[in-house]
Amino acid sequence: MVKLKLPNPGLEDRIPSHAELEVLEKEEADSRPKWDNKAQYMLTCVGFCVGLGNVWRFPYLCQSHGGGAFMIPFLILLVLEGIPLLHLEFAIGQRLRKGSVGVWSSIHPTLKGVGIASMFVSFLVGLYYNTIIAWVMWYFFNSFQEPLPWSNCPLNDNRTDYIEECSKSSPVDYFWYRETLNISTSIEDSGSIQWWLLLCLTCAWGVLYVCTIRGIETTGKAVYVTSTLPYVVLTIFLIRGLTLKGSTNGIVYLFTPNVSELANPVTWLDAGAQVFYSFSLAFGGLISFSSYNSVHNNCEKDAVIVSVINGFTSIYAATVIYSIIGFRATARYDDCFDKNILTLMNAFDLPEGNVTQDNFEQMQQLCNMTDPATFATLKFETCDLETFLNDGAEGTGLAFIVFTEAITKMPVSPLWSILFFIMLFCLGLSSMFGNMEGVLVPLQDLKIISPRVPKELITGLVCLVCYLIAFIFVLNSGNYWLSLFDGYAGSIPLLIIAFCEMFSVVYIYGIDRFNKDIEFMIGHKPNIFWQVTWRLVSPLIMLVIFFFYFVVKVNQELLYSVWDPNYEEFPKTEKVEYPPWVYAIIVILAGVPSLTIPTFAIYKAIRSHCQKKNDRAGLIATSETSINGNLKYTS
């Protein structure tokens, strides 16, 4: 077992002892927020961990990597990577009773950059994540119509035909790209602010402010709805989905394993990344949430329960999504066949009902024998159920195109649309609670804002700043900007932060000290599983994922998908290279949070060295270290 421990002078002075911890909890009873009950805490953590990625990212990865075969690496890495890091964040937050900045600066002053990096990532991800909630609200508001506005193409100005862009693509594509985003053909063509999206964005940030106005005192009440309602809606959709024609085709397709995919390293890489991101690790929110717990709360049990719920939700949501996708694929397959049948019937004047899917091939052969010349002029579409099932999409494409198309084919479609977007709204909002916690608590720990400023005002200022910056996402080019943020703001920085977290606890704070802390809190030492994963397995997995991810990104040509009606292969999106200035944006999004950690460590080291020189010169008489890890100087 790895026993390495780096020197860490002054640690005892920066953290409270076990005896002081219980006294501190009583003293903070009135001044520091706490959970009303255990259920409130668990629902908040589940709501933060279980987000939109469980619904639209995980099903796509299953479909891309051999269906049920993807579940194997996902579950293995969930156990070896996700649960250990989740337990570590819960335990260290509960032990030190601080937010992310306070925790890491208490362990060592040079580690304060880890907490600041988490704050930056939470801020950047929150910017675009709440914009997705704004899109969800726009679709929700438009769902109170019969028929749904994305079920048919609108007529042109002369009212003689459908709008060309829509007729060349589809009603759901047109409503998403033109009616909702009014998208430009380049990230450089910013266009203007879309007022309808701006109104939805205002609503989204307004709702979030009301829910987070007093931190966990208000979010703790909201999670009773936002964390439970998605499961109710998913269950309703599963029951409804199983009654639809072809739903089982989708479920069978999802769970049919292609074992050869297990030999593909990309499958394991994607599984590891999905486990990591689906737990919302390294954002700082989970550390803050656990710090409001009682000292003797069983954080180990909490980590296991939240992990099981998270893994179950991913698989359950994929089952629901693919039951609906199976119905959509079957409906498209039937439509395709109906067109071919109509083509054959019109060409040979066949009576209605004579040609069916079952006897179509026999009727084709008969017609070909009857009149080969006429038959040779007919053009039949290729109808393959596997192709329609394989026509998957991820992210916004799955939610706003694939699923909305399936809903239009369901009876009472507005009802199902309302339910679906309520579910997405709750999933997104409960995740934003954790993101806001990951920004607000570090701001308080850094003492950037005076403690006398009311919490409501601080929350309002943060929401206002985020809201104003998010205007970039409601421009004509907004979707391209959002994809850029999604691809880089929460990728490499989170891997680096998580590795630093685990390394700091095991090798700087000290694994033996950490084991004693957990024994004090829950009554027994962590078993061999936790020891092996914390010390070796989980850090190694994160390094491998980081290395391969970095290699893939460096060698990958940076392209983005453009919706251009003049593209020769339209309605396919065109892959276009980013303009050169975008590379600077990528460096800011991925580089600034990542570089915060070494930059702050170097700054602290230089400052400490200069301080020692001053001490020796007699310029400063004494120096002492406060409990939050900041140096205090007295003359």
Side-chain angles (χ1 to χ4, degrees), residues 311-343:
F312 164 77
T313 304
S314 294
I315 296 170
Y316 187 53
T319 306
V320 175
I321 294 296
Y322 266 87
S323 71
I324 303 298
I325 287 178
F327 159 70
R328 167 184 173 262
T330 303
R332 293 175 73 181
Y333 177 76
D334 289 343
D335 289 344
C336 179
F337 243 115
D338 289 344
K339 288 178 183 177
N340 287 346
I341 289 171
L342 190 63
T343 300

Side-chain angles (χ1 to χ4, degrees), residues 135-154 166 170-177 179-180 399-409 413-418 420-421:
W135 292 344
V136 168
M137 294 177 84
W138 166 249
Y139 268 79
F140 173 75
F141 295 147
N142 277 281
S143 296
F144 293 89
Q145 301 179 48
E146 177 64 62
L148 291 170
W150 54 83
S151 57
N152 297 299
C153 284
C166 185
S170 70
V172 287
D173 284 324
Y174 182 80
F175 188 83
W176 169 239
Y177 287 110
E179 298 283 354
T180 301
F400 299 113
I401 297 176
V402 174
F403 213 87
T404 50
E405 182 188 342
I407 286 172
T408 60
K409 301 179 186 297
S413 54
L415 172 63
W416 300 109
S417 182
I418 290 166
F420 178 64
F421 289 110

Side-chain angles (χ1 to χ4, degrees), residues 2 502 506-507 531-541:
V2 182
M502 194 161 280
V506 175
Y507 300 113
Q531 303 296 333
V532 172
T533 51
W534 283 335
R535 297 178 194 225
L536 185 64
V537 177
S538 295
L540 193 60
I541 290 173

Side-chain angles (χ1 to χ4, degrees), residues 101 112 115-117 119-120 123 438-453 458 461-462 465 596 600 628 630:
V101 168
K112 186 180 281 190
I116 297 172
M119 180 185 71
F120 280 149
F123 176 77
V439 175
L440 292 170
V441 174
L443 282 177
Q444 294 167 2
D445 289 346
L446 289 168
K447 295 181 173 57
I448 293 173
I449 302 172
S450 171
R452 289 176 291 181
V453 178
I458 297 173
L461 287 172
V462 171
V465 170
T596 301
F600 195 86
N628 67 0
N630 295 316

